[in-house]
Amino acid sequence: MDCGKSTSTEVGKLSVVKSTDEWTKELTLTASYEVTKGMRVKENPYIWNGQESNNPVFGVTQNGQYTLRLNADANSDTAKATITVNVENIDVTPPKIGAYELSPQGWTKDGVTVSLTDVTDLQPSGTGGSGLGETPYSYDGGKTWCKEEKHLYRENGTYQICVRDCLDNESSVEVVTRSIDTTGPVIESMEYDHARNIAATTLTITAKDVQKDGSEGVGLHEKAYSYDNGKTWTAKSVYPVKQSGSVQVAVRDKLGNVTYASENITNIDSNGPKVWHILVPDYWTNQPVTACFFAKDEQPDGSEGVGLAANCFSFDDGNSWQEEGERVMTENGSVRVFVRDLFGNRTVYEIPINNIDKKAPSAKLSYVNNGNEAEPQICLVAEGYDGESGLHKAPYSWDGGKTFTDKNTCPIQENGVYTVVVRDQAGNIASAEAEITLFGNKKKISIGKKPEDTPSEKKETKKATIKKTTVKKVPVLAAKEEPKQTEAISSDGKNGWWIALAVCILLCIILLLLALAVYYRMIIVYVRTQANSFAFRGIVWIRRREERYEAVFKESLLEKCSTTHFKFCPSYLFLWFHKGEDICFLFPDKKCVTMQAQKEMETVLL
């Protein structure tokens, strides 16, 4: 340092130290000095860039030249001694994104990729800065950082892309994407005719393609509509519907984004009528069986349909149609009926008929001698079999078919020709006979053969052979008659009131018996109405005639009936004694319908 006294005379030392030579956002310059004897320094010894200061440390935040002088005595020319420091390692300038590219340029549903193509880190002077950091890029406004110069945005929006240098100097640019369409079209309405019981309707779809924010999307596809859940596509927004059910609708845009919806249509009558049947009779019989079919047109939810056609039944696979739903079967088999409604919707209904049995059972008659030749004890043994309806619960008759029993044995006490009648559940009968001549002097037995062909010595059981002959009733022991007894009742004045009481009780008993007799013989008559229910029409009476029960159906009662489908309900008292026995219903045209007594009996007159 030159103090002005002599060019070779040193009066003190002044020095400056820079805090760092690495890149930094700020640094410090630290000054120090030494003076010799006789040199004076002012209270603010440092002059930094022309400004006095008592602080030896000077902060630097930008590049440039910085000067330092020592503020010495006025007589000393120390102000001429200047130290100059060049600072060039301060970086407070962020890098810049000069250009970027978005791809693809058009509509897409797979997202948009942004690529940074021009990123620089320069000082204001144009010289290089500290350089980009290790993870210099952020595509979410500085929340996360990465090394990649590309990024995929999957949704539309405004995004902030940031870049930073090694000193975390940061700058950003905004990127806007509007060409990403990942949203399916909006189905605004699905319209159709809501009137009840229609034959068909048209489903009309209204749809548009918009983004989530309400802006327009890529637009609807050329074939935008599907009515089979996306299997096939069409350009038509109307769809003909011919039957009730759920229609699966799908609408797509040009990028293949799909919106699904469904419409449940229930007011189209596309179902065939409901069909059911009864068989008359519905038990085993050897007579024709009438299959009576009934129908009602209703929707699957139970509501009424369009209604039955006037001629709604067909028994020839739809070639011809008729109003009546009855078919008479003379043999077992199946009956198939077609039933249609006013729109032509059909139901095919098939039932088996397997309760007709016209084949007679087999009948065999044999005997057993439980005694000896001198005192024979003969018991007839019947054997029956039926492979179809089966034997009746009381299959055997020992009096030529007048009465039947479940016992297949019959003891006899005299010679003669004996016959057993066997019946099945359908009423078919067969008979077998045996000639017995073991009693008295004759010991000849003929079972299903001529008398002279039967040896008298054999005692073992013989099988009876069926043949026609005169029938001899099995003797029935008559019950012993009980002697009649009478008791005199005193009629003097003291017992008069007892007589009156007894007469009243007797009259009550007689009236009760009469009421029971009337109720016993009563059968209530119902008829099936058009509403498919039964209505009361009158009463017929049961009578016993020629070993059978009959119920006479008068002309006046028949005129009250608008149908030939009847239901008969006998009294509980009659069923108590005669359930399962045959009742013959006699109609005015001399037609007889025989049915077994049950709680409810149905028949249809043909």
Side-chain angles (χ1 to χ4, degrees):
M1 177 184 293
D2 186 3
C3 294
K5 293 183 181 291
S6 175
T7 57
S8 59
T9 302
E10 184 179 271
V11 295
K13 292 182 179 180
L14 181 64
S15 61
V16 177
V17 178
K18 188 166 59 172
S19 61
T20 181
D21 289 325
E22 300 293 333
W23 284 103
T24 183
K25 287 187 175 183
E26 62 181 6
L27 55 78
T28 60
L29 298 178
T30 303
S32 63
Y33 67 90
E34 294 180 5
V35 296
T36 60
K37 186 176 180 182
M39 184 178 179
R40 294 187 302 272
V41 179
K42 292 186 176 182
E43 183 180 358
N44 295 323
Y46 305 103
I47 301 176
W48 294 100
N49 284 350
Q51 300 291 329
E52 293 183 3
S53 174
N54 66 350
N55 191 354
V57 179
F58 184 77
V60 179
T61 59
Q62 60 184 7
N63 292 325
Q65 287 186 346
Y66 295 89
T67 61
L68 174 65
R69 289 183 298 167
L70 187 64
N71 193 6
D73 189 275
N75 297 326
S76 301
D77 197 12
T78 58
K80 296 181 180 180
T82 303
I83 298 176
T84 301
V85 180
N86 289 325
V87 177
E88 296 178 346
N89 62 325
I90 291 179
D91 187 357
V92 293
T93 304
K96 294 183 178 180
I97 299 174
Y100 61 84
E101 292 181 355
L102 298 177
S103 62
Q105 297 296 320
W107 285 97
T108 179
K109 69 174 183 178
D110 299 323
V112 172
T113 300
V114 58
S115 301
L116 304 179
T117 58
D118 182 15
V119 180
T120 58
D121 184 38
L122 298 176
Q123 300 287 52
S125 63
T127 60
S130 61
L132 297 178
E134 184 178 356
T135 54
Y137 305 112
S138 174
Y139 298 94
D140 55 7
K143 296 179 180 178
T144 60
W145 297 87
C146 64
K147 298 179 179 180
E148 290 76 17
E149 296 179 345
K150 295 182 179 181
H151 182 73
L152 177 64
Y153 290 110
R154 297 189 178 277
E155 294 185 357
N156 290 326
T158 300
Y159 300 95
Q160 188 177 36
I161 302 177
C162 302
V163 61
R164 65 182 177 181
D165 60 14
C166 293
L167 300 179
D168 290 334
N169 298 305
E170 182 181 317
S171 67
S172 64
V173 295
E174 281 190 350
V175 175
V176 179
T177 60
R178 289 288 182 267
S179 59
I180 302 173
D181 187 351
T182 59
T183 304
V186 175
I187 300 177
E188 295 181 312
S189 65
M190 294 188 290
E191 298 293 334
Y192 64 95
D193 186 359
H194 290 264
R196 292 289 303 170
N197 293 326
I198 56 178
T201 187
T202 299
L203 181 65
T204 302
I205 309 299
T206 303
K208 63 180 180 180
D209 189 43
V210 294
Q211 302 284 60
K212 292 180 180 179
D213 59 0
S215 61
E216 292 186 1
V218 64
L220 295 179
H221 194 279
E222 183 182 36
K223 294 183 177 180
Y225 304 97
S226 173
Y227 302 97
D228 55 7
N229 210 28
K231 296 179 182 178
T232 59
W233 297 90
T234 179
K236 296 180 180 180
S237 61
V238 294
Y239 178 68
V241 183
K242 297 181 179 180
Q243 61 182 10
S244 293
S246 179
V247 180
Q248 303 298 318
V249 179
V251 182
R252 64 179 177 177
D253 62 16
K254 293 178 181 179
L255 296 177
N257 299 307
V258 182
T259 297
Y260 296 93
S262 64
E263 187 68 25
N264 191 28
I265 299 176
T266 60
N267 61 324
I268 297 177
D269 188 350
S270 58
N271 299 288
K274 178 183 178 182
V275 184
W276 69 99
H277 77 283
I278 63 171
L279 298 180
V280 181
D282 60 356
Y283 48 84
W284 281 104
T285 180
N286 55 11
Q287 301 299 314
V289 172
T290 302
C292 302
F293 295 92
F294 305 92
K296 182 180 180 181
D297 190 41
E298 63 182 19
Q299 299 286 53
D301 61 359
S303 61
E304 292 186 1
V306 67
L308 297 175
N311 296 321
C312 60
F313 296 101
S314 174
F315 293 95
D316 56 2
D317 296 340
N319 293 321
S320 62
W321 297 87
Q322 64 187 50
E323 182 180 0
E324 295 79 14
E326 299 175 356
R327 188 69 179 270
V328 179
M329 298 292 291
T330 59
E331 299 290 341
N332 287 329
S334 62
V335 180
R336 182 166 63 176
V337 62
F338 285 35
V339 186
R340 64 180 178 178
D341 62 13
L342 289 173
F343 287 157
N345 301 310
R346 298 182 179 184
T347 297
V348 180
Y349 190 83
E350 187 170 358
I351 61 170
I353 304 295
N354 51 22
N355 61 324
I356 299 176
D357 179 7
K358 295 183 179 182
K359 185 179 180 181
S362 63
K364 295 181 180 180
L365 185 60
S366 59
Y367 80 99
V368 174
N369 187 356
N370 296 319
N372 49 48
E373 292 185 6
E375 296 181 358
Q377 296 180 8
I378 305 300
C379 183
L380 298 178
V381 180
E383 182 181 353
Y385 173 77
D386 188 83
E388 294 189 24
S389 61
L391 293 180
H392 194 279
K393 64 179 181 180
Y396 304 106
S397 173
W398 299 98
D399 58 1
K402 294 180 180 180
T403 61
F404 283 86
T405 179
D406 59 351
K407 297 181 179 180
N408 69 330
T409 59
C410 179
I412 60 174
Q413 299 178 355
E414 59 182 9
N415 294 328
V417 177
Y418 296 93
T419 300
V420 64
V421 178
V422 180
R423 65 175 178 177
D424 59 17
Q425 294 190 60
N428 302 302
I429 61 173
S431 62
E433 68 177 25
E435 182 181 3
I436 304 298
T437 57
L438 284 173
F439 297 96
N441 296 327
K442 297 181 179 179
K443 299 181 181 180
K444 185 176 182 181
I445 298 178
S446 176
I447 300 177
K449 298 181 182 180
K450 293 182 180 180
E452 59 272 15
D453 297 333
T454 304
S456 59
E457 296 82 3
K458 295 183 178 180
K459 297 183 181 179
E460 63 271 13
T461 301
K462 300 292 183 178
K463 297 296 181 179
T465 303
I466 300 173
K467 70 176 184 177
K468 292 184 178 180
T469 185
T470 56
V471 177
K472 185 170 183 179
K473 296 183 180 179
V474 177
V476 180
L477 295 178
K480 294 182 179 179
E481 294 185 356
E482 296 292 336
K484 295 183 179 179
Q485 297 181 359
T486 60
E487 182 178 353
I489 300 177
S490 174
S491 59
D492 55 12
K494 296 182 181 180
N495 296 327
W497 70 275
W498 285 106
I499 296 173
L501 178 62
V503 170
C504 290
I505 295 175
L506 182 60
L507 288 175
C508 291
I509 293 174
I510 292 173
L511 291 175
L512 178 61
L513 293 176
L514 288 175
L516 291 176
V518 171
Y519 173 70
Y520 173 82
R521 297 175 56 244
M522 182 175 63
I523 294 181
I524 301 176
V525 179
Y526 299 90
V527 296
R528 184 179 292 275
T529 65
Q530 293 181 351
N532 198 31
S533 61
F534 284 99
F536 172 78
R537 284 295 180 269
I539 296 174
V540 294
W541 305 98
I542 303 173
R543 67 185 183 185
R544 183 72 173 177
R545 183 69 59 84
E546 296 179 356
E547 306 298 331
R548 70 175 184 180
Y549 292 101
E550 294 181 351
V552 179
F553 207 98
K554 296 182 179 181
E555 183 72 29
S556 58
L557 180 57
L558 187 62
E559 291 176 353
K560 297 180 182 180
C561 304
S562 58
T563 179
T564 57
H565 189 163
F566 298 94
K567 181 171 74 173
F568 303 110
C569 298
S571 66
Y572 289 102
L573 188 60
F574 182 84
L575 290 176
W576 179 272
F577 294 101
H578 305 290
K579 184 177 182 180
E581 296 188 24
D582 292 339
I583 303 176
C584 178
F585 290 86
L586 298 176
F587 290 88
D589 56 357
K590 297 184 179 180
K591 180 181 291 185
C592 176
V593 178
T594 301
M595 291 182 288
Q596 292 179 340
Q598 301 292 335
K599 182 179 179 181
E600 293 183 355
M601 300 174 288
E602 291 187 34
T603 186
V604 175
L605 292 184
L606 303 177

